[in-house]
Amino acid sequence: MNFIIISGQSGAGKSQAKKVFEDLGFYCIDNLPPSLIPNFIALLEQNSENINNVALVIDIRGGKFFKDLEDNLILLKTKGYSYQVFYFEADDHVILKRFKETRRTHPLDPNGRIEDSIQSEKKLLASLRAKADFVINTNTTTQSQLKNAISQALELSESHLPLQLTFVSFGFKKGLPQDADFLFDVRFLPNPYYIEELRTLTGNEIEVSSYVMGFDESKEMFHKMTNLLDFIIPNMIKDGRSQLVVAIGCTGGQHRSVTFANAMSEHYSKNGYSANAIHRDARKEG
């Protein structure tokens, strides 16, 4: 089990960082008092679910409990768990502007001046910042840039980033999928519906898929679709996207679209992506 400690200045983007770690598959907890880390470890060890990556947001909101952080990080190591500290910060004027824009008080001193609280917090966090594995300044960082920075720190290559590819087959006569990012129309391909022995089957059966993919037009269409997606997918990952829905439609959503959705899912699964096929309109049984 690997732990990430997310900490840093109030207003420096820790909440946004937590969202990034959630997208990367981490089990995240916000504002956990450090003194509860041993209890949390015990719960994880008793849990039957396989949780390998945990991110804990720990900062001065914990008040006096924050002082226990160093001792409990030592405890993590003695139990054999590795951890890394991600420290998020921003320039004073940026932090001040963010607090003014959101009209929030500073958690260190809700009744005091924000400028004074910023300086006091930096002093309290100085020791932790010095020991941090990664210090990330969020002055001008967008969400996608933040995701890239965290991914690079974790040494995740593009092929290991958790972009979920979903290929949805559908029938045009039943309407378009509303959640599709891209849509392909394969109605121009030869239709197995007009082959009597294939009519009641779907693209999930080998007889239908072999028929559909047996034409040169089908092979070329598959090649062109994968060429386009091979360009799109890495750029989607760079932009911080965590899901891509590709809809593939034929007339009734039974034969051609199902065949292509299955073929695309299989192709990208073999190439190291998390991919699946969903058949919105296909009969469950032939």
Side-chain angles (χ1 to χ4, degrees):
M1 195 182 305
N2 298 313
F3 286 84
I4 297 293
I5 306 300
I6 302 172
S7 194
Q9 292 178 260
S10 302
K14 297 187 297 295
S15 296
Q16 298 304 314
K18 182 175 77 73
K19 294 177 183 179
V20 171
F21 279 103
E22 287 174 340
D23 289 343
L24 293 174
F26 282 76
Y27 184 90
C28 299
I29 293 185
D30 188 20
N31 200 17
L32 180 73
S35 57
L36 293 182
I37 289 178
N39 304 73
F40 180 65
I41 293 174
L43 287 174
L44 290 176
E45 291 174 340
Q46 296 170 14
N47 198 317
S48 58
E49 296 183 21
N50 187 23
I51 299 176
N52 295 319
N53 297 305
V54 178
L56 305 176
V57 183
I58 301 175
D59 53 37
I60 54 94
R61 287 175 297 166
K64 62 180 182 180
F65 297 110
F66 184 70
K67 298 178 181 178
D68 300 327
L69 178 58
E70 187 171 349
D71 290 339
N72 284 282
L73 291 181
I74 294 174
L75 179 63
L76 276 178
K77 284 194 173 181
T78 59
K79 284 182 168 289
Y81 296 116
S82 62
Y83 71 86
Q84 293 176 305
V85 176
F86 278 71
Y87 185 94
F88 296 89
E89 65 179 11
D91 293 347
D92 292 354
H93 72 278
V94 175
I95 297 288
L96 180 60
K97 181 181 178 182
R98 291 172 182 173
F99 273 102
K100 290 292 187 182
E101 288 176 345
T102 58
R103 298 182 180 180
R104 297 184 62 192
T105 58
H106 197 285
L108 188 62
D109 185 4
N111 299 315
R113 297 181 69 243
I114 295 175
E115 294 94 327
D116 294 338
S117 297
I118 292 174
Q119 299 307 318
S120 298
E121 183 181 41
K122 288 168 68 175
K123 291 178 181 178
L124 289 173
L125 296 174
S127 175
L128 178 62
R129 185 188 187 281
K131 297 175 182 177
D133 296 281
F134 304 100
V135 177
I136 298 177
N137 187 292
T138 64
N139 277 355
T140 58
T141 306
T142 65
Q143 187 68 9
S144 62
Q145 290 171 336
L146 182 62
K147 188 169 187 176
N148 286 336
I150 293 173
S151 300
Q152 290 174 9
L154 296 174
E155 298 183 346
L156 295 176
S157 64
E158 287 183 5
S159 62
H160 288 85
L161 294 177
L163 177 70
Q164 174 63 46
L165 298 175
T166 301
F167 296 94
V168 180
S169 70
F170 73 97
F172 275 94
K173 67 180 182 180
K174 296 183 180 180
L176 302 178
Q178 296 301 307
D179 60 342
D181 297 300
F182 292 91
L183 187 149
F184 293 98
D185 184 349
V186 294
R187 287 177 293 183
F188 68 92
L189 298 174
N191 193 350
Y193 178 83
Y194 297 107
I195 308 297
E196 186 174 351
E197 59 268 28
L198 302 180
R199 181 173 301 170
T200 59
L201 303 178
T202 73
N204 288 319
E205 277 77 39
I206 186 65
E207 298 92 334
V208 172
S209 59
S210 296
Y211 175 85
V212 171
M213 299 307 295
F215 295 92
D216 290 339
E217 305 97 296
S218 300
K219 295 173 183 176
E220 186 173 354
M221 181 62 175
F222 180 83
H223 177 69
K224 290 183 180 297
M225 287 170 64
T226 53
N227 270 354
L228 177 60
L229 291 177
D230 286 347
F231 168 75
I232 290 172
I233 290 171
N235 284 286
M236 286 287 187
I237 293 174
K238 289 179 182 178
D239 191 47
R241 292 284 293 271
S242 58
Q243 185 180 41
L244 180 66
V245 178
V246 179
I248 304 171
C250 61
T251 304
Q254 304 294 325
H255 302 100
R256 295 163 291 182
S257 62
V258 173
T259 296
F260 266 78
N262 287 338
M264 296 295 284
S265 175
E266 182 180 358
H267 172 80
Y268 283 100
S269 293
K270 288 181 178 178
N271 281 276
Y273 291 96
S274 176
N276 68 311
I278 296 176
H279 307 302
R280 191 191 72 178
D281 300 326
R283 294 182 294 270
K284 293 183 179 180
E285 295 181 2

